[in-house]
């Protein structure tokens, strides 16, 4: 739901009715995680409706649309299980996995729910839990970090709020079984992770564009004011004229942060890598040939960087895709970033076995 928060708020602020179908549980191989949502905005007639978001890779959208339209027309809350059997195949879900979805109408008077949607739309941390299984009168009830439906038992509210606080730290969406017969779908939105690009070169422009599309807050850093300009990098969230090592030492990074060293100049790279490899960033990569990498490692060792820290360095940066253009190079870099985050082997899917859609590792 959070991935379409801005569009939901636009519709609600305009006074339009909105029904949302949200994935509340995933079993096996499925294309979208818990929290993925489709919304239908408008009246019951198809010509009056707008569809936002998706709950699958396209295979269950028609059924989700039917559920949302039904909620808009008749009100209430409903759940449905989409699985790989004869009935589910008729709905188009043929990927072999199973989804449980919840359809309900958004209530614009729910101040706590709307506050979480506004936080997500603004790129801030947000979290909520929906009752996805239990007594019919509790289905669709909402718990937020600071609020919750009073009809829910007090001890349940406290336990779910504590879980929301914990999951907001690590970004884990998923199912949560509470006392009794209650089950919640926990939805979490994290502040955008950071992508710091060192070196105002042509690949930096493509990487800042792609990084932004993948949900990163992008900073381009270079000590040369002639090259580090907003005009050259319109897709970056910020362009900073500063010595990279000084910037990296002062800026706030965490384990989700990505640092891509593209400057290819030792006077920038070595001091900056000393800082980067000593920090918390989950991915540190540096561009250059294999010869450059060998010399870079020697210089880092001479500067006192430990072997353990150097082992964290992805260099030469990126996966071997045969990339040649700036955008192809950016794709190879971000592909390696994703693989490093998820622990995937980055092999062709056609040569592998097992589930394609595994548990999602939050960025």
């Amino acid at each position: 739901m959070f991935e379409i928060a801005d569009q939901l708020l636009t519709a609600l602020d305009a006074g339009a009715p909105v029904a949302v179908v949200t994935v509340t549980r995933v079993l096996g191989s499925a294309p979208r995680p818990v929290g993925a949502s489709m919304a239908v905005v408008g009246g019951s007639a198809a010509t009056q409706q707008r569809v936002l978001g998706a709950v699958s890779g396209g295979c269950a959208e028609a059924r989700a649309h039917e559920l949302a339209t039904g909620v808009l027309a008749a009100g209430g809350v409903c759940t449905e299980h989409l699985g790989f059997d004869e009935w589910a195949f008729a709905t188009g879900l043929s990927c072999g996995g199973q989804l449980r979805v919840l359809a309900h109408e958004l209530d614009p008077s729910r101040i706590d729910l709307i506050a979480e949607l506004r936080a997500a739309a603004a790129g801030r941390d947000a979290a909520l839990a929906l009752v996805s299984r239990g007594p019919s009168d509790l289905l669709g009830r909402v718990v937020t970090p600071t609020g919750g439906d009073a009809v829910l038992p007090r001890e349940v509210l406290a336990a779910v709020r504590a879980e929301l606080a914990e999951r907001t730290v690590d970004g884990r969406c998923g199912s949560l079984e509470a006392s009794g017969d209650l089950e919640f779908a926990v939805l979490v939105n994290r502040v955008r992770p950071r992508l710091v690009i060192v070196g105002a070169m042509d690949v930096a422009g493509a990487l800042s564009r792609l990084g932004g599309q993948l949900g990163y807050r992008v900073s381009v850093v270079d000590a040369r004011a002639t090259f580090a300009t907003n005009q050259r990098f319109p897709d970056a969230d910020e362009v900073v004229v500063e010595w990279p090592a000084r910037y990296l030492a002062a800026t706030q990074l965490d384990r989700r942060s990505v640092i891509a060293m593209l400057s290819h100049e030792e006077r920038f790279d070595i001091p900056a890598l000393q800082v980067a490899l000593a920090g918390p960033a989950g991915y540190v990569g540096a561009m250059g040939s294999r010869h450059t990498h060998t010399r870079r490692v020697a210089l880092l060792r001479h500067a006192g960087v430990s072997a353990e820290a150097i082992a964290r360095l992805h260099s030469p940066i990126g996966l071997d895709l045969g990339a040649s253009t700036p955008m192809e190079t950016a794709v190879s870099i971000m592909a390696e970033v994703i693989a490093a985050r998820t622990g995937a082997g980055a092999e062709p899917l056609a040569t592998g076995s097992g589930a394609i859609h595994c548990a999602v590792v939050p960025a």
Side-chain angles (χ1 to χ4, degrees):
M1 192 186 306
F2 287 137
E3 78 273 15
I4 56 173
D6 54 343
Q7 299 174 79
L8 294 175
L9 290 167
T10 298
L12 291 173
D13 290 343
V18 180
V20 179
V21 179
T22 299
V23 176
T24 59
R25 193 172 183 88
V26 174
L27 297 172
S29 178
R32 301 297 307 280
V34 169
S37 297
M38 169 191 280
V40 173
V41 180
S44 58
T47 56
Q48 300 173 332
Q49 295 174 357
R50 286 190 297 119
V51 178
L52 312 172
V55 297
S56 73
C59 49
E61 308 310 330
R63 183 55 184 156
H65 181 267
E66 290 177 4
L67 293 173
T69 300
V71 166
L72 282 178
V77 179
C78 66
T79 63
E80 192 157 306
H81 182 90
L82 304 179
F84 188 64
D85 53 31
E86 183 178 356
W87 172 82
F89 189 81
T91 73
L93 186 64
S94 57
C95 60
Q98 301 178 63
L99 300 177
R100 188 184 302 152
V101 298
L102 172 77
H104 65 110
E105 187 169 359
L106 285 184
D107 182 357
S109 69
R110 284 298 307 266
I111 297 176
D112 52 349
L113 170 61
I114 301 302
E116 295 304 308
L117 289 175
R118 294 199 186 282
R124 302 192 302 272
D125 286 347
L128 62 86
L130 294 169
V131 177
S132 56
R133 188 170 63 180
S136 59
D137 61 324
L138 296 183
L139 286 177
R141 299 289 185 168
V142 178
V143 180
T144 68
T146 58
D149 283 296
V151 295
L152 293 170
R154 184 176 301 176
E155 64 276 11
V156 171
L157 283 174
V160 174
R161 285 179 190 146
E163 186 71 18
L164 287 176
E166 181 178 325
R167 294 199 186 192
T168 301
V169 173
D170 58 23
R172 285 183 298 123
C173 297
S175 302
L176 171 65
E177 293 185 2
S179 60
D181 297 328
L182 290 179
E183 183 175 303
F184 290 82
V186 178
L187 283 57
V188 177
N189 182 80
R190 292 294 312 276
V191 171
R192 287 189 296 162
R194 297 200 59 195
L195 168 59
V196 179
I197 302 170
V198 175
M201 55 185 295
D202 53 354
V203 174
L207 187 58
S208 65
R209 186 176 312 118
L210 182 58
Q213 292 172 343
L214 291 174
Y216 286 85
R217 181 163 63 91
V218 180
S219 302
V220 176
V221 184
D222 200 302
R224 301 166 298 181
T226 301
F227 298 101
T229 66
N230 291 311
Q231 290 74 25
R232 294 190 70 218
F233 301 101
D235 298 297
D237 293 282
E238 64 171 356
V239 180
V240 181
V241 179
E242 178 61 278
W243 279 86
R246 188 178 304 162
Y247 175 83
L248 291 173
T251 196
Q252 186 172 0
L253 302 170
D254 59 29
R255 64 179 180 82
R256 300 187 302 149
S257 300
V258 172
I259 300 173
M261 308 288 298
L262 308 183
S263 55
H264 209 252
E265 289 194 38
E266 292 174 358
R267 59 178 176 144
F268 297 137
D269 288 358
I270 302 305
L273 283 172
Q274 287 181 261
V275 177
L277 293 172
Y283 177 96
V284 179
M287 179 172 282
S289 66
R290 299 190 191 282
H291 173 77
T292 298
H293 170 70
T294 300
R295 175 173 170 78
R296 179 183 289 141
V297 168
L299 291 171
L300 289 171
R301 285 175 179 161
H302 182 73
V305 179
S306 69
E308 292 77 14
I310 292 174
R312 296 181 54 216
L313 177 61
H314 296 265
S315 174
I317 197 171
L319 297 182
D320 184 5
L321 305 180
S324 58
T325 68
M327 184 53 76
E328 288 177 348
T329 302
V331 169
S332 79
I333 293 170
M334 294 312 298
E336 185 180 48
V337 168
I338 294 169
R341 188 189 81 227
T342 62
E347 298 294 331
L349 290 172
T351 63
S353 61
I356 293 175
H357 303 290
C358 298
V360 175
V361 178

